Amino acid sequence: MSFAQIPGMVNYNEEDGLNSSYTYGLVQDKNGYIWIGSDNGLFRFDGKEFKQFSSKNGLKNIEALYSYPLPNGEIFIATFLNDFAYLKNENIINSTINTELKKIKFKYNPDFAIDGNTLYMFSGTNPDNIYVYLNEKVTIIPLEIKKKSPDLRYTFAFDPHSRLLYFYDDSQGRNLKAYHIDTKKETTCDLYVEKGTVIFKNKNFFIYRNKKSIDIYELQNQFIFKKIASYQIQKNVYRVVIDQNFRVWACLEKGGVLYFKQSLKDGGNLSNPVKIMDQYIIHDVLVDKDNNVWFSTRNNGLFFITDRFLKNYFHLPVRNNSSYIKAIAKNDKGIFLGYDEAKSGIYRNKTITDLVFEKNFKIEHKGIFSEGNTVIFGLTKRVVQYNTETGEKHFLKEFVLKNILPYTPGSVLLCTSAGLTSYNYRTRKYEDLLTNEKVYTALPFAQDSLFAGTFKDLYKLNTATKKKTLFLEGYYFTDIKKLAPNLYAGATNQNGIILFNNSGILKTITESNGLPTSQIKKLEIENKNTLWASTSSGLCRIRISERTIEIDNFTQTDGLPSSVVTGCLISGDTIYAGTSKGLGILSIKDLLSQKKFINKKVIINSVKIGGKEIFDFRQPLKGQSSDNNVTFHVSFPDFTSQGNISFRYRLEGASDSWQISSSPKIIFNALPPGKYVLKIFGLGYNGKRSYTSTDVPFEIVPKFWQTWWFKLMIISLGAAALFILIHTYFQKKRNKKLETLYYEKKIAELELQAIKAQINPHFIYNCLNSIQFLLYKKNYQETENYLEIFAHMIRKTLHYSEKTFMPIREETEYLSLYLNMEKLRLKDAFDYTITISDRVNENWIVPSLLIQPFVENAIKHGISGLKERKGKIQILFDHTETSLCVIIEDNGVGIGNGNQVKADSFGVKLSQKRIETFRQLFETYIQLEIYDLQEKEQRPGTQIKLYIKPYENKNTNMHH
């Protein structure tokens, strides 16, 4: 069976970054990278991008035939003839950099054998030496093989463990020989080699290609061979490869490759192979660790096919399966396919039989209905009724068809641009159910009732009355299926999948739930809780429960011929998917058994930290730089994802949030000193994630000026310097303020003394006036008593006038003395009381001589002129929450009466000046309030309140 190129085959070339179309040897290293030799250097492919190593990187010979990855990470590059090189830490080391490589010289392209980190090189024609490369050193083992004829001697295999070199002379048919490179002993093997035979060695197998036959021998011990398989080939074989599964690939000289499906471990002769890619010259075949297949070609770049495509197209081949399928249906007669042209197909017994209705007529299928021997193919402008038993074709009348759906037994629904029509395919009669509407889908839900979907709305239609009722507005339904009684699923063009019943929408399933797209083409019901959706982004299996919706997405990478799926059918465990590249036949069990994760990890290629790029991660990663930038070069070699690769990462120690990037460079800028761990997952096809994260711990080491002790020292020194500066500044400011306060206090004290000096003469003047009045009245006894009290008062006044503050106790004594003197003078014209509240301590101090002027004013202007009642003066010392309150109250005429001076007597004015001076000098707040009791409480008199807030200067001892 021959396939020119399998659907799903990927071709990588210049457009993808593979800047060479002429590719040679293929190999996969321990990290999973694919290395490609080419005529333009060596390429490394990580599934996302190609990295080229050429003359710009140091290759002297860019004709890189093969590469040999070694366990220590080095990649030895075998170029055409000489100028060998190797790759270490992504840097090319050539013979100029390492002169050891100059020892290696060949006249013919050499063969290679690997044993651990040791690489053995020898010429395939007349070898004289074996060159041994190990740890960047080259040693030479000379050969002393005896040559019995002038003909060529072909050496094709070396076994590093037995130290045997296998060769034969091409002069005539002779047995194979084994040469021990240490003992120089030559041993004849039991295998006869005909002249002109080409021998390949792969693993422990020897492949003989002689003319048009392939014979495969397995080495039983060092000198005995067993023939295990053979095959006669009609074309010359250029190269034979035995893959990791012990399957044989034969590259043909004139193009194409033969693939033998059975393993050599199964025994027996090779069965008929599958021939593929016969228009390409294949240089090499590689089956990677995931069983994906790679082909290097002459002038056509690199080809790749996933393992699932290999199984679907090699092991379950379907002939003529490449057309764009637009519609699909089934019954017990087969699977019926409708293409994007006036041609259909019937799939039976792994073969598709084409049905051509009109040649070269480019109209596509919109739907297919099948029942028994009747199949109705619905094309855009043709509807054909086909009998599978007789082959009879009946063309229905012309419609611009949108869909064809089952209706009642023996009839179908034709959704057209003009409306909805039922067609009975037994009687071939029509009935218009709905007119003047473009109908795209329909579904009966009750007798004489069905759903009909237009370009933008869904209607309920009564087929008996032809009356339509708008049911769901704004939805373009492409398909409707019944899940359960009164439960329906609708595929829409833009809104995903709608679950609804006869009353309305129950649930909407969109991209937010996990669909790859909200544009759904068709639905297929598996059971009442499970359905399949066909989309342009793959096939979706949706499982619905009361609480959750689980979605599995399958695309081309899972074995579909194409991710553009137009419809699907389920038959037992098999799902048939119509795609843009043919029919996909997949096992549901195999699809669902796929791992939810990708069995790979992200590879860290290098880390640039502290201005240095690091490749060896066996040592702790530490960096120290001024800008603290860290760059990770990463790869996720999941080739099945076909480049659809991104990375999900988090930097622990800096952030708890996850980031997603499609760039292979993960960059962190200006990281502060500290310890970090990069956790990174690879994201592949269908959102699958690597099975575990790759964790890379690293540290940004601070400079000495960034260390905590240095910062603490700087902070301490800075704090000390700042403290000194602040202290000096405030000390100077305090000294200046104290100096200013000193002069201000001096001035205020002088002013206070001046005020006191004014008060004392004022008081004395008032007293002398009283004495003069008594003498005038010749009341000598009272004058004597008054003079005695006056003398005592003068002593007290002179004593207290020298003090700034005085205790309340002494203040009350002074006021009592003064009031008794005034009471004597006025012949008991008034009574007085002085009360100290329990909340007041008698030792609290108040400004001296502050209260007496107000008491004097109360006597002189308040009660001295009373005739109808006796005067009364009350003095109260009380304490509020914040201040001392002194109340002087009389029952006189009040300040509202014209005879009363309104708080502007000379004594009161002097007291107000003292109040202001105390506020300035001692920061003592004194508030004066004067009330007319007639206005305030409707009783005669005047009330004066002095609020004195505590002055807490230690010099005054005024503490409340």
Side-chain angles (χ1 to χ4, degrees):
M1 188 175 295
S2 176
F3 292 89
Q5 183 175 337
I6 303 169
M9 183 83 73
V10 179
N11 179 216
Y12 294 109
N13 48 44
E14 289 88 346
E15 295 178 357
D16 306 291
L18 181 62
N19 299 321
S20 173
S21 60
Y22 210 106
T23 53
Y24 297 116
L26 301 173
V27 68
Q28 187 175 28
D29 68 12
K30 62 179 182 179
N31 291 324
Y33 297 136
I34 303 297
W35 294 87
I36 307 108
S38 81
D39 62 351
N40 193 22
L42 182 67
F43 288 86
R44 186 190 73 191
F45 186 48
D46 64 358
K48 190 174 182 68
E49 63 181 11
F50 289 89
K51 183 167 185 179
Q52 182 180 12
F53 300 92
S54 62
S55 57
K56 294 180 180 179
N57 308 94
L59 270 185
K60 292 184 175 181
N61 187 344
I62 63 172
E63 195 86 12
L65 302 180
Y66 290 93
S67 61
Y68 296 91
L70 302 176
N72 61 11
E74 296 177 5
I75 309 292
F76 195 89
I77 305 171
T79 60
F80 184 73
L81 293 180
N82 298 303
D83 288 324
F84 297 96
Y86 58 94
L87 188 67
K88 185 175 182 178
N89 295 334
E90 298 199 13
N91 293 312
I92 294 290
I93 309 299
N94 56 31
S95 59
T96 302
I97 300 173
N98 185 356
T99 56
E100 287 284 307
L101 298 175
K102 293 182 178 180
K103 298 177 181 178
I104 308 173
K105 295 184 181 297
F106 289 103
K107 295 180 180 179
Y108 305 95
N109 288 325
D111 285 336
F112 294 79
I114 297 177
D115 181 23
N117 289 318
T118 305
L119 182 68
Y120 297 88
M121 294 166 272
F122 55 92
S123 174
T125 304
N126 297 328
D128 296 320
N129 301 297
I130 288 184
Y131 298 91
V132 182
Y133 171 83
L134 175 63
N135 296 328
E136 303 184 77
K137 298 292 184 180
V138 176
T139 57
I140 303 174
I141 301 175
L143 300 178
E144 299 175 2
I145 302 175
K146 297 177 181 180
K147 190 174 181 182
K148 298 180 179 179
S149 68
D151 292 333
L152 295 177
R153 185 176 62 248
Y154 291 117
T155 305
F156 58 88
F158 174 70
D159 184 0
H161 298 286
S162 65
R163 310 287 284 178
L164 292 176
L165 186 69
Y166 293 92
F167 71 94
Y168 69 94
D169 288 322
D170 195 39
S171 58
Q172 57 184 357
R174 289 181 179 174
N175 280 29
L176 194 68
K177 293 186 178 182
Y179 175 81
H180 199 287
I181 63 172
D182 297 327
T183 64
K184 314 302 182 184
K185 182 179 178 181
E186 188 177 302
T187 305
T188 301
C189 302
D190 68 342
L191 186 59
Y192 183 81
V193 182
E194 293 183 1
K195 184 177 180 180
T197 299
V198 178
I199 303 177
F200 305 96
K201 182 181 183 298
N202 201 320
K203 300 179 174 58
N204 209 34
F205 296 98
F206 288 72
I207 304 103
Y208 280 40
R209 188 206 71 190
N210 190 346
K211 297 180 181 178
K212 295 182 180 180
S213 67
I214 292 178
D215 297 310
I216 301 176
Y217 296 86
E218 185 176 11
L219 184 63
Q220 299 294 300
N221 58 35
Q222 297 179 356
F223 312 110
I224 299 174
F225 293 81
K226 179 183 178 181
K227 186 175 183 180
I228 62 171
S230 63
Y231 186 78
Q232 295 296 317
I233 298 178
Q234 301 302 316
K235 298 181 180 181
N236 290 334
V237 175
Y238 167 74
R239 176 175 171 79
V240 179
V241 174
I242 298 176
D243 65 26
Q244 62 176 8
N245 301 311
F246 300 98
R247 292 189 172 94
V248 178
W249 302 77
C251 304
L252 304 179
E253 287 184 353
K254 294 186 178 180
V257 61
L258 299 180
Y259 169 58
F260 297 86
K261 293 185 291 184
Q262 80 272 30
S263 170
L264 293 177
K265 293 293 185 179
D266 297 337
N269 286 333
L270 297 174
S271 61
N272 290 331
V274 176
K275 183 182 180 184
I276 60 173
M277 304 183 70
D278 55 6
Q279 70 270 49
Y280 302 106
I281 302 296
I282 307 299
H283 281 163
D284 197 10
V285 180
L286 170 69
V287 177
D288 65 21
K289 298 174 183 178
D290 298 315
N291 291 323
N292 305 314
V293 185
W294 304 80
F295 303 95
S296 64
T297 70
R298 180 189 301 173
N299 296 324
N300 290 284
L302 184 68
F303 285 89
F304 166 80
I305 185 171
T306 66
D307 176 46
R308 290 191 174 274
F309 272 114
L310 179 75
K311 291 177 180 177
N312 286 344
Y313 283 86
F314 291 173
H315 297 268
L316 294 172
V318 179
R319 295 181 180 180
N320 306 323
N321 185 27
S322 60
S323 297
Y324 194 139
I325 299 174
K326 301 291 290 188
I328 185 171
K330 74 175 177 66
N331 62 22
D332 56 356
K333 304 295 182 180
I335 306 294
F336 303 96
L337 310 173
Y339 302 128
D340 62 344
E341 55 182 322
K343 184 176 74 170
S344 303
I346 303 176
Y347 173 75
R348 281 182 294 208
N349 300 322
K350 297 184 180 181
T351 302
I352 296 176
T353 303
D354 289 338
L355 297 174
V356 180
F357 300 118
E358 296 185 52
K359 293 183 178 180
N360 301 321
F361 196 29
K362 293 296 182 181
I363 55 174
E364 64 181 11
H365 282 72
K366 290 295 185 179
I368 302 175
F369 168 82
S370 64
E371 183 182 44
N373 293 324
T374 300
V375 182
I376 301 177
F377 295 96
L379 289 85
T380 306
K381 295 183 179 181
R382 291 284 191 277
V383 181
V384 184
Q385 182 176 330
Y386 178 76
N387 189 300
T388 58
E389 186 174 351
T390 64
E392 178 190 358
K393 300 175 186 176
H394 170 69
F395 289 87
L396 279 63
K397 67 179 184 180
E398 287 195 9
F399 295 98
V400 179
L401 192 71
K402 301 298 180 183
N403 208 342
I404 182 169
L405 302 160
Y407 187 28
T408 60
S411 68
V412 295
L413 291 172
L414 303 176
C415 302
T416 73
S417 61
L420 184 64
T421 301
S422 70
Y423 170 69
N424 190 308
Y425 52 83
R426 296 172 183 170
T427 64
R428 298 184 179 179
K429 292 183 178 181
Y430 303 89
E431 181 186 1
D432 291 332
L433 303 178
L434 180 63
T435 58
N436 299 321
E437 287 280 6
K438 282 187 177 182
V439 180
Y440 287 85
T441 190
L443 178 71
F445 66 89
Q447 187 176 4
D448 297 333
S449 296
L450 54 79
F451 293 112
T454 69
F455 184 73
K456 61 178 181 178
D457 301 312
L458 185 66
Y459 292 92
K460 286 182 177 180
L461 177 66
N462 187 304
T463 57
T465 63
K466 306 296 191 294
K467 181 181 178 181
K468 67 174 183 177
T469 305
L470 181 62
F471 177 56
L472 295 177
E473 185 177 6
Y475 293 95
Y476 172 14
F477 283 88
T478 57
D479 194 14
I480 302 174
K481 291 291 193 301
K482 184 177 181 179
L483 282 172
N486 195 26
L487 179 61
Y488 307 95
T492 70
N493 192 47
Q494 292 181 339
N495 303 99
I497 298 172
I498 308 295
L499 301 181
F500 62 93
N501 59 19
N502 285 322
S503 300
I505 295 176
L506 301 176
K507 190 176 294 185
T508 302
I509 305 172
T510 63
E511 293 177 37
S512 62
N513 303 104
L515 288 177
T517 176
S518 292
Q519 188 178 34
I520 312 299
K521 296 180 180 295
K522 294 291 181 183
L523 298 176
E524 175 72 2
I525 306 302
E526 182 177 331
N527 55 55
K528 65 179 182 179
N529 297 317
T530 307
L531 58 110
W532 293 74
S534 301
T535 77
S536 294
S537 300
L539 196 58
C540 310
R541 185 175 186 262
I542 302 110
R543 285 161 290 175
I544 304 167
S545 64
E546 292 183 0
R547 296 184 179 180
T548 62
I549 295 175
E550 297 181 29
I551 298 178
D552 293 310
N553 298 316
F554 306 102
T555 61
Q556 189 178 31
T557 54
D558 298 291
L560 289 170
S562 165
S563 295
V564 178
V565 183
T566 54
C568 67
L569 300 169
I570 296 175
S571 178
D573 179 57
T574 303
I575 186 164
Y576 298 89
T579 77
S580 62
K581 292 184 179 179
L583 179 66
I585 306 173
L586 305 172
S587 166
I588 296 176
K589 181 180 179 181
D590 287 347
L591 286 176
L592 298 181
S593 65
Q594 294 181 33
K595 295 180 180 178
K596 303 300 180 182
F597 297 94
I598 299 173
N599 192 29
K600 289 181 174 63
K601 291 177 63 176
V602 172
I603 305 298
I604 308 297
N605 298 315
S606 66
V607 180
K608 191 172 184 180
I609 182 171
K612 180 182 178 182
E613 192 164 14
I614 299 172
F615 300 90
D616 185 1
F617 307 124
R618 290 175 293 183
Q619 301 298 325
L621 286 175
K622 291 186 179 181
Q624 187 180 62
S625 82
S626 57
D627 56 4
N628 297 341
N629 295 334
V630 182
T631 301
F632 292 84
H633 295 262
V634 299
S635 296
F636 185 51
D638 179 51
F639 306 109
T640 305
S641 295
Q642 297 180 25
N644 186 22
I645 291 171
S646 55
F647 303 93
R648 184 172 184 261
Y649 63 91
R650 179 177 71 186
L651 186 62
E652 294 183 349
S655 174
D656 293 329
S657 61
W658 290 92
Q659 307 291 328
I660 294 179
S661 172
S662 59
S663 173
K665 288 185 179 181
I666 307 297
I667 301 174
F668 300 100
N669 292 316
L671 285 176
K675 293 183 178 181
Y676 303 92
V677 177
L678 173 67
K679 295 181 73 71
I680 183 168
F681 290 92
L683 301 179
Y685 73 100
N686 293 347
K688 291 186 178 181
R689 196 187 71 183
S690 57
Y691 75 98
T692 187
S693 65
T694 297
D695 299 346
V696 186
F698 67 96
E699 183 180 1
I700 301 295
V701 181
K703 299 286 189 181
F704 75 89
W705 60 80
Q706 294 176 311
T707 56
W708 65 269
W709 57 266
F710 184 83
K711 290 180 179 179
L712 182 61
M713 181 181 70
I714 293 299
I715 291 172
S716 300
L717 292 175
L722 184 63
F723 175 78
I724 293 171
L725 289 174
I726 294 174
H727 180 74
T728 303
Y729 171 77
F730 281 107
Q731 187 65 39
K732 289 182 179 179
K733 192 172 182 180
R734 189 181 299 111
N735 292 340
K736 187 174 182 180
K737 184 176 181 180
L738 288 174
E739 187 178 351
T740 303
L741 286 175
Y742 173 77
Y743 289 113
E744 288 179 351
K745 284 187 177 182
K746 277 291 183 182
I747 295 171
E749 286 175 356
L750 291 174
E751 185 181 42
L752 186 61
Q753 289 176 1
I755 292 170
K756 288 182 178 180
Q758 287 178 308
I759 289 175
N760 292 338
H762 170 73
F763 172 71
I764 294 170
Y765 174 75
N766 288 339
C767 291
L768 291 176
N769 279 342
S770 298
I771 294 170
Q772 185 181 9
F773 178 75
L774 290 174
L775 291 174
Y776 177 75
K777 295 178 66 175
K778 296 181 181 182
N779 192 340
Y780 301 112
Q781 183 62 41
E782 290 185 8
T783 302
E784 184 180 354
N785 292 337
Y786 195 87
L787 283 172
E788 183 179 352
I789 296 172
F790 174 69
H792 190 47
M793 276 290 297
I794 290 298
R795 286 195 301 272
K796 289 281 186 181
T797 301
L798 292 174
H799 173 70
Y800 291 133
S801 65
E802 295 298 322
K803 293 185 177 182
T804 305
F805 294 91
M806 60 190 296
I808 292 176
R809 171 176 44 78
E810 294 181 4
E811 177 71 21
T812 57
E813 291 176 359
Y814 179 76
L815 290 174
S816 296
L817 189 63
Y818 169 72
L819 286 169
N820 288 331
M821 186 181 69
E822 289 292 279
K823 188 175 181 181
L824 180 65
R825 183 176 68 84
L826 297 177
K827 299 185 181 298
D828 291 330
F830 68 92
D831 293 327
Y832 74 89
T833 60
I834 300 176
T835 305
I836 300 175
S837 170
D838 294 338
R839 294 189 293 271
V840 175
N841 189 333
E842 292 183 352
N843 293 320
W844 289 351
I845 58 176
V846 293
S848 63
L849 303 178
L850 180 64
I851 302 171
Q852 185 271 336
F854 296 103
V855 177
E856 180 184 350
N857 195 65
I859 296 172
K860 182 177 180 180
H861 300 290
I863 63 174
S864 62
L866 292 177
K867 296 179 180 181
E868 69 277 3
R869 65 181 181 276
K870 188 174 183 179
K872 184 183 291 185
I873 294 177
Q874 295 177 343
I875 301 172
L876 172 65
F877 290 84
D878 200 0
H879 182 256
T880 64
E881 293 181 355
T882 58
S883 59
L884 177 69
C885 179
V886 182
I887 302 174
I888 304 110
E889 184 178 306
D890 65 74
N891 64 342
V893 296
I895 60 176
N897 191 292
N899 296 324
Q900 170 73 325
V901 178
K902 296 183 179 181
D904 59 353
S905 68
F906 183 71
V908 173
K909 287 182 177 180
L910 290 177
S911 296
Q912 289 176 330
K913 286 185 178 181
R914 289 189 70 206
I915 288 171
E916 183 62 31
T917 303
F918 268 100
R919 181 183 292 116
Q920 178 183 0
L921 183 61
F922 299 107
E923 298 180 359
T924 301
Y925 181 75
I926 303 174
Q927 181 179 349
L928 173 63
E929 295 178 357
I930 303 176
Y931 301 101
D932 188 340
L933 294 177
Q934 187 64 42
E935 296 179 359
K936 183 179 180 183
E937 300 178 5
Q938 289 76 45
R939 61 187 178 91
T942 302
Q943 186 184 71
I944 295 174
K945 287 186 177 181
L946 289 170
Y947 292 97
I948 307 172
K949 288 195 175 180
Y951 177 63
E952 297 183 353
N953 191 303
K954 291 183 180 180
N955 295 328
T956 66
N957 294 319
M958 185 178 180
H959 299 285
H960 291 182

